[in-house]
């Protein structure tokens, strides 16, 4: 068994890109997600690279299912070197007083509570082994709210606080904690945010070269590969013509 990375939301976007990057970097992988077909497709692709790949099908919002999935792992798969808390989403881009309560609950339950569930399930074994790395996928959206971002921005601000809190709480150990804060990354992020309105989603990336999932995976892999005494605490990764969550220069 090589080093093991556990990635939530590995069926698309940044999670899928991280799976590929860590597989190429020699890691064996535990990939989680809700879409069995997609999980199996990624698994097959990475097994073809000679990696061992385990898939766990569950929604991070379901703490009971998450616990059962983790407990179902054979002992050799329980020695997790890197946890990438990637599962997360934005839903809607409306004024706070017009937003959808269900969208808010889904974001809060996935981006905050799901991340906490996985952290609670997997970090104790890291502490016990005095080794491990938690990489949380935050966002530039967590640095400051942008127009109509309200609740999504709040969930990513929570990711920042939760990541900082964990880093403090594990400081006595050799466990490392990283918050990755991407800006505009072209994935299915905006299609999901706009509930399948692809035209609206495409407009998000118009007039600017956005980041790719692979760009973020490169940074995650760098953080995981840094010498043991180096803790990449936080990285803000923006497209070159993006300056903040709300300042984006677009070519006409
Ligand atoms: C994703 C980046 O700027 O679309 O978290 O909110 S942004």
């Amino acid at each position: 068994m090589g080093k093991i990375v556990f990635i939530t939301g590995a069926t698309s976007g940044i999670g899928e890109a991280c799976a590929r990057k860590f597989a190429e970097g020699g890691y064996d992988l535990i990939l989680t997600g809700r879409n069995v077909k997609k999980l199996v497709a990624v698994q097959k692709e990475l097994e073809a690279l000679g990696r061992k790949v385990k898939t766990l099908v569950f929604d991070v919002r379901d703490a009971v299912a998450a616990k059962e999935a983790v407990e179902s792992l054979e002992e050799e798969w329980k020695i997790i070197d890197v946890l990438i808390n990637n599962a997360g989403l934005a839903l809607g881009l409306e004024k706070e007083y017009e937003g959808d309560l269900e969208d808010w609950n889904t974001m809060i339950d996935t981006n905050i509570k799901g991340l906490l569930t996985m952290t609670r399930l997997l970090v104790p074994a890291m502490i016990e082994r005095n080794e491990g790395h938690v990489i949380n996928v935050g966002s530039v959206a967590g640095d400051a709210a942008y127009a109509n971002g309200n609740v999504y921005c709040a969930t990513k601000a929570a990711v920042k606080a939760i990541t900082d809190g964990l880093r403090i709480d594990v400081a006595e150990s050799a466990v490392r904690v990283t918050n990755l804060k991407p800006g505009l990354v072209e994935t299915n992020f905006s299609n999901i945010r706009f509930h399948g309105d692809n035209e609206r989603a495409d407009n998000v990336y118009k007039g600017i070269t956005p980041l790719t999932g692979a760009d973020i995976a490169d940074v995650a892999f760098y953080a995981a590969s840094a010498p043991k005494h180096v803790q990449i605490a936080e990285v803000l990764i923006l497209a070159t013509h993006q300056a903040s969550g709300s300042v984006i220069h677009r070519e006409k």
Side-chain angles (χ1 to χ4, degrees), residues 139-141 146 152 182-183 189 242:
S139 171
V140 64
Y146 53 73
Y152 175 69
F189 175 86
Q242 176 175 23

Side-chain angles (χ1 to χ4, degrees), residues 58-68 109 114 117-118 121:
F58 65 90
D59 186 330
V60 293
R61 287 180 294 172
D62 185 342
V64 174
K67 187 165 186 276
E68 279 172 10
D109 289 348
T117 298
M118 300 318 301
L121 286 171

